[in-house]
Amino acid sequence: MSSYFKDKVVVVTGGTEGIGKALVDQLIQEGAKVATCSRNHDKLYLLQSEYPSAYLHTMVADVSNENECRRFMETTIKVYGGIDVLINNAGVSMRALLKDATTEVIKKVMDINFYGTVYCTKYALDSIIARKGTIVGVSSIAGYRGLPGRSGYSASKFAVQGWLEA
């Protein structure tokens, strides 16, 4: 087991299922102080009950909402004193031909996948810079190559890739 994450403050957005949950599990095992958010209160409660004695800060937050991202980063900094690593993981997928997709669905995918990354990074940035930390973006092959039936999803992941590279 690596000691790199021991006592580091790591924020994982969307940490109650999938890749995010796996990251939270591993980071807690490696001694990190973890903060995570989810739109689902019950999933956060289950996560907390799974790790009753761990350093685990949770908050109900929708990353597509700028104010909720701001509050999540502010409370994390208040609880732990700063942020060392931000893992922008929260996201949704989308499968539909463009002719069948609504603009509302594409907007929702962009709001969560792209703007969620922008908002969380913006409000964690000062702390990450002060601590010489790291910003991570969880992406997909769809962020490098447009995939059939995945126009909105690919666009959101392309946007994340380009924004984080810039």
Side-chain angles (χ1 to χ4, degrees):
M1 180 163 74
S2 169
S3 63
Y4 178 81
F5 288 105
K6 178 103 175 92
D7 296 323
K8 289 237 173 40
V9 177
V10 183
V11 175
V12 180
T13 63
T16 58
E17 58 185 276
I19 293 169
K21 174 69 164 70
L23 285 166
V24 168
D25 292 341
Q26 187 64 41
L27 289 162
I28 287 172
Q29 288 178 12
E30 294 194 19
K33 297 174 181 176
V34 177
T36 194
C37 67
S38 170
R39 292 177 292 179
N40 188 305
H41 175 272
D42 293 341
K43 288 180 182 178
L44 288 170
Y45 180 82
L46 287 173
L47 182 64
Q48 286 179 314
S49 64
E50 188 176 342
Y51 296 106
S53 61
Y55 287 104
L56 178 61
H57 168 63
T58 63
M59 183 175 157
V60 174
D62 179 344
V63 297
S64 70
N65 182 301
E66 184 174 2
N67 285 328
E68 291 181 23
C69 291
R70 179 185 46 76
R71 268 196 342 266
F72 176 48
M73 294 306 145
E74 287 174 354
T75 61
T76 298
I77 292 166
K78 187 174 184 177
V79 167
Y80 292 134
I83 298 170
D84 296 298
V85 180
L86 168 61
I87 303 175
N88 288 294
N89 170 72
V92 294
S93 188
M94 176 196 158
R95 289 190 179 159
L97 296 176
L98 181 57
K99 68 182 182 73
D100 300 326
T102 66
T103 55
E104 291 82 14
V105 168
I106 294 172
K107 183 178 183 327
K108 178 182 176 185
V109 171
M110 287 298 292
D111 285 347
I112 294 170
N113 295 358
F114 175 65
Y115 284 105
T117 297
V118 170
Y119 299 149
C120 289
T121 302
K122 171 77 174 148
Y123 292 107
L125 192 59
D126 288 344
S127 182
I128 291 169
I129 290 171
R131 293 168 80 123
K132 296 180 174 45
T134 303
I135 299 166
V136 176
V138 175
S139 191
S140 163
I141 190 67
Y144 295 94
R145 169 70 92 194
L147 301 175
R150 308 292 298 250
S151 61
Y153 181 72
S154 288
S156 73
K157 291 300 185 173
F158 266 84
V160 168
Q161 287 296 130
W163 188 76
L164 286 173
E165 285 179 18

